[in-house]
Amino acid sequence: MALLLSCFQVEGSELKKIRPNSRVYHRYYLLDAGLQALCWEPSKKESDKARIFLDSIREVRTGRNTETFRTSGVYEQISEDCAFSIIFGDVYESLDLVANSAEVANIWVTGLRYLLQYGKHALDMLANSQDSLRLRWLEQLFSSAARFDPEEGIPLHSAVKLIRGVNPGVSTDKVERRFKELQRKTERKERISKKEFTEVFHDFCTRPEIYFLLVQFSSNKEYLDAKDLMRFLEAEQGMAQVSEETSLKFIQTHEPSEEGRQQGHLSLDGFTSYLTSGECHLFDREHDRVCQDMSQPLSHYYINSSHNTYLIEDQFRGPSDVSGYIRALKMGCRCVEVDVWDGADEEPIVCTGRTLSPPLALRSVLEAIGRFAFVASEYPVIVCLENHCSLQQQKVLVQLLTRILGEWLYRNPPEEGATYLPSPHDLKHRILLKGKSLGPSTDGEGGEVSEEDEGAEMCQKMKAVKSSSGGIEKDAVQKGVSFTAQSSPSHLACKPFLLFRGLSDLVTLCHSVCFIDFQTSSKSQNPWEMCSFHESVALGLASESPGDYVNHNKRFLSRVYPNPMRIDSSNMNPQDLWKCGCQIVSMNFQTAGLMMDLNTAWFRQNGNCGYVLRPAIMRQEVSYFSADTKGSVPGVSPQLLHVKVISGQNLPKPKGSGAKGNVVDPYVYVEIHGIPADCTERRTRTVTQNGDNPIFDESFEFQINLPELAMVRFVVLDDDFIGDEFIGQYTIPLECLQPGYRHVPLQCLTGEDLPHAKLFVHVALTNRRGGGKPHKRGLSVRKARRGREYTALRNLGVRAVDEVFKMATPFLREATDLRGNMQNSVAVFKELCGVSAVANLMQCVLALSSSVSGPEGTSLLLFNLKDSYPILEPQGLLPDVLRRVVATYETMVDASKAVMELSDGIYDKILHIQAMAMEFHENLQTQAMKEGLKGPKISRALESFSWNITILKGQADLLQRAKAEVLENMKQVHDAALTGNLTKEGEGVRRCTSVPEK
């Protein structure tokens, strides 16, 4: 800190000054010798006017959060992390500045805030800092390692051990090397002095980005007391119901010094310990357990699925092993594949037909499934049985299935007239066989059926390889494999074969049927029948008929398997199929990379149980959703995701990297994966030659149109002129993000955690507070009512139905206005308080508290908390800026009251009209034909009906969520007023648990 202040006092730095007319001036800024004023040069003003006295500064504000910045023509060219403003004077003028790096901006902001806190006594305090809490703890730490007199020093290995105890990610070699560099200047070669230990400790255990954060929230700049920490936990980490007792528990857990624990103080090292602990993991731990409704039909879930589970390398020559099943099931996989063929010893074997991969004994495969099926999850396992056996060996297959898996096999036939499958909850600890079945009219012990055959497809793709392999069939026969598959079209390979009645009877809820088209499936497919789709066919359907594919998957299970050309066991992108509602997307678990990262991360969000509930818009019987949407989704409000990549820690050298030695030049990609409208990526700058603690300090914003299907992926690469190399990654569903300052544990290519390698980030999501499941709320986009966009209902061309939908138009507009007025007023209030659009109202009010002090430190604004809606009351004459703050706050409260008082009535009317429209649903096609619609016009009418129903349901839901948003907003204002000492009440006012609805 002394270095930073001397930089301010003596050296200064060049900054860009932004003027309201969008002009940009380059000026040199520095503090005067007495630390009394901020000066700049050159200037046309007289020297005594080209300065701002520190005692006139009301606030040092980070980011582009003043009117000058927002209205500037160069706004988009200015980095959020390099911008800051100095608010000063009685009329709240702003000096808006841009540094050449985020690090320089941080130094200015931190130094100025320090000086504002302590004034001219700052340097005196620094001179006495030898008695600081941290230094006293380091002295005790050093003394504890000294056997005798601490003045004689401690052994090198003891000093290294102490430092690695605080920062285990730093290597022993690095610490030893640093100590030896210091000792070259002295004659002490054997032992480490206290001064040397302290210096090296600061080098390896002080993270400047965490120090800047501590300074921002500390009332004394050296540590956080219980109130400081409470403010941080509430405002930044999104914790609810925080008390000083909560803060003290965190201090007792993370503060390393006994003195700090006794006094209730969290030092820099304690704060670092908290921020790197599991409590500050980016992943919301509530998702470590099953947290979704598991009582819906099986077809309403995504199901973690494996392809050719027995293969552990490529699809052609690679080895087979039961470990493939064990690993997949331990990872939460709930759908495995078993390809069975006739074996040489009258017992079926498991293998891929006509390839060089060795077979497995079916018995050992089933035993592995039986042993590990329910280790990771209690929910049902689907065994996809690819049957290539003769009738005789099918009988053996049935015997093995019933003997080994009998107690878990689900044998109940589907209920007559059932319209949906049972739920995962109903099928706990059950194994379902997926395969072909005989009709009830088939006589005898078996009958001929046809089924799509992935093995036959693989055979066709192997023809080019066959001639160079010396004869695949000959080699395979020598391994004990015989073949019954016949050639068939590669896009939908089907084979006729005799099916044993006993095996057919074991297939109950997952009958395999060939897909013809969506119209045929809609008319004749039963809920317990499922289609398997070749990857290319599935992607074609997703492109040509995205809405039909989504509707098909509302009732029926769909399984998608990889293109047989993926001989290297590469993976398709599962999200290309999930966005169509396909439940079972079969992945090659043995192949690491982006696609398996997405799959593994996706299924973590529900306790890694193998089942994830699909978005509501993909489950509702009548709803409109197109998988190829390029914009917003009807009935779903987008969210604004803010991600700031602050720093990295202990980034390893990429495996296999060559010429650069141990040097790492890291940079970070932040990727969004989801529907096409959401897919994007942004990257940070490269930090050269620093893998220990590279500082990135770069912010990105993303609009997420379908949050329930979005994932965020952090990828760290080494910038190399030969070719960028992979360091680590972490992928997480948007639903699992915790807001605030978080550490991201990096994983290697195969998914294991890299020891001590992390990213430090800040995450914010508009209108969302941390913990638990989020409300899907709208963006607080500032837009005038007359310029507001209203979602339009579509005309069907069926008069009676159109008349019903027209009744809803005024109520939909009123609902949109209620939400829009409330959210816009919140956005304007945030702007006047000087916070960003992604800040919450607690952060907003706390920011306000730092800039409203009047004469003798009294506050010019205070909240009256006696009412359900806190009242912001002036405490005397106000400058124009604060009068605007009060007026805007009152507008926000009025708009919030309108939501609470009017929304229920509008909600009921919208749902009533929706119910009236649904009465036409069953006979809509007949009604359309009576009014002369034919062919494509009927299809468009049906689609428009689904669109309108989706809009009605979606707008009604958004209105209800707006009520929840108002309650949360008022609670945050109430609690922030108490935390920021902005309340006029004395004792008796408590923190808010809930706000009355009216």
Side-chain angles (χ1 to χ4, degrees), residues 16-260:
K16 296 174 186 175
K17 178 181 179 181
I18 310 298
R19 296 299 302 273
N21 58 7
S22 297
R23 296 287 296 274
V24 179
Y25 298 91
H26 292 261
R27 297 286 184 264
Y28 200 85
Y29 289 81
L30 68 165
L31 293 173
D32 66 6
L35 299 182
Q36 298 297 306
L38 173 67
C39 311
W40 59 91
E41 56 187 35
S43 173
K44 293 181 181 179
K45 298 179 179 180
E46 297 177 11
S47 60
D48 62 334
K49 293 183 179 179
R51 65 178 59 204
I52 297 174
F53 287 98
L54 297 190
D55 60 8
S56 72
I57 295 178
R58 293 184 169 274
E59 178 189 358
V60 181
R61 184 179 298 175
T62 58
R64 302 166 296 177
N65 293 311
T66 65
E67 192 70 18
T68 299
F69 272 128
R70 292 190 186 100
T71 58
S72 171
V74 294
Y75 177 85
E76 295 297 335
Q77 303 166 30
I78 299 170
S79 167
E80 175 79 12
D81 306 297
C82 296
F84 64 100
S85 301
I86 297 171
I87 314 301
F88 65 97
D90 293 336
V91 294
Y92 289 74
E93 295 178 75
S94 69
L95 174 63
D96 301 289
L97 303 170
V98 180
N100 60 14
S101 72
E103 183 179 9
V104 171
N106 268 336
I107 291 173
W108 275 101
V109 170
T110 304
L112 286 172
R113 286 175 172 171
Y114 194 97
L115 289 171
L116 294 180
Q117 179 78 18
Y118 296 113
K120 63 182 181 181
H121 302 295
L123 290 182
D124 295 336
M125 295 187 65
L126 286 170
N128 296 325
S129 65
Q130 295 302 312
D131 295 328
S132 73
L133 175 63
R134 188 188 204 196
L135 288 178
R136 290 195 294 274
W137 171 63
L138 286 180
E139 288 177 358
Q140 293 172 359
L141 200 64
F142 184 84
S143 298
S144 67
R147 290 187 176 182
F148 305 105
D149 185 1
E151 295 300 321
E152 295 181 3
I154 61 175
L156 175 62
H157 69 87
S158 298
V160 172
K161 184 178 179 181
L162 289 176
I163 287 173
R164 294 196 72 242
V166 176
N167 181 7
V170 65
S171 70
T172 298
D173 289 344
K174 252 177 205 176
V175 181
E176 288 182 350
R177 194 159 53 244
R178 182 71 182 102
F179 274 123
K180 288 174 182 177
E181 287 173 1
L182 289 179
Q183 288 187 327
R184 288 196 193 106
K185 304 173 186 177
T186 67
E187 296 181 358
R188 299 169 62 96
K189 302 295 183 183
E190 299 283 331
R191 304 177 77 79
I192 305 300
S193 70
K194 182 170 67 175
K195 181 180 178 182
E196 291 167 341
F197 171 75
T198 302
E199 184 172 342
V200 176
F201 184 93
H202 283 307
D203 287 345
F204 288 109
C205 301
T206 300
R207 288 176 50 184
E209 72 276 26
I210 293 182
Y211 175 78
F212 289 138
L213 188 59
L214 181 141
V215 167
Q216 182 181 343
F217 283 88
S218 173
S219 56
N220 56 63
K221 301 300 180 266
E222 187 191 0
Y223 55 78
L224 299 175
D225 61 23
K227 287 185 177 180
D228 296 333
L229 183 57
M230 183 173 73
R231 178 184 175 193
F232 176 78
L233 295 174
E234 282 189 320
E236 291 296 337
Q237 304 301 83
M239 289 183 64
Q241 305 300 317
V242 182
S243 64
E244 288 191 40
E245 288 73 25
T246 308
S247 298
L248 288 171
K249 286 180 181 178
F250 278 111
I251 292 171
Q252 294 301 313
T253 301
H254 295 288
E255 172 53 38
S257 71
E258 184 177 353
E259 178 186 352

Side-chain angles (χ1 to χ4, degrees), residues 653-684:
K653 172 185 171 184
K655 287 188 177 180
S657 60
K660 296 203 312 176
N662 290 321
V663 175
V664 178
D665 299 331
Y667 65 96
V668 181
Y669 264 107
V670 182
E671 304 170 350
I672 306 297
H673 297 266
I675 61 174
D678 293 340
C679 292
T680 187
E681 64 183 21
R682 300 283 300 277
R683 67 156 286 179
T684 69

Side-chain angles (χ1 to χ4, degrees), residues 656-710:
S657 60
K660 296 203 312 176
N662 290 321
V663 175
V664 178
D665 299 331
Y667 65 96
V668 181
Y669 264 107
V670 182
E671 304 170 350
I672 306 297
H673 297 266
I675 61 174
D678 293 340
C679 292
T680 187
E681 64 183 21
R682 300 283 300 277
R683 67 156 286 179
T684 69
R685 64 186 175 90
T686 297
V687 177
T688 58
Q689 301 186 18
N690 187 349
D692 295 333
N693 189 30
I695 304 295
F696 300 102
D697 264 335
E698 290 193 52
S699 298
F700 309 112
E701 286 187 353
F702 308 93
Q703 179 165 309
I704 312 296
N705 293 283
L706 186 56
E708 289 176 285
L709 209 57

Side-chain angles (χ1 to χ4, degrees), residues 19 98 119 409 566 605 637 653 666 714 793 897 915 939 971:
R19 296 299 302 273
V98 180
L409 283 177
R566 296 185 182 273
Q605 67 181 285
S637 266
K653 172 185 171 184
F714 299 88
L793 296 175
K897 287 181 177 178
S939 297
K971 178 184 182 302

Side-chain angles (χ1 to χ4, degrees), residues 820-862:
N821 292 343
M822 182 270 291
Q823 292 173 346
N824 289 346
S825 64
V826 171
V828 176
F829 183 61
K830 288 179 182 179
E831 288 182 1
L832 287 177
C833 291
V835 297
S836 67
V838 293
N840 58 42
L841 279 183
M842 174 165 280
Q843 294 166 332
C844 189
V845 173
L846 289 176
L848 183 66
S849 69
S850 67
S851 61
V852 296
S853 59
E856 300 179 358
T858 59
S859 180
L860 296 175
L861 293 173
L862 291 175

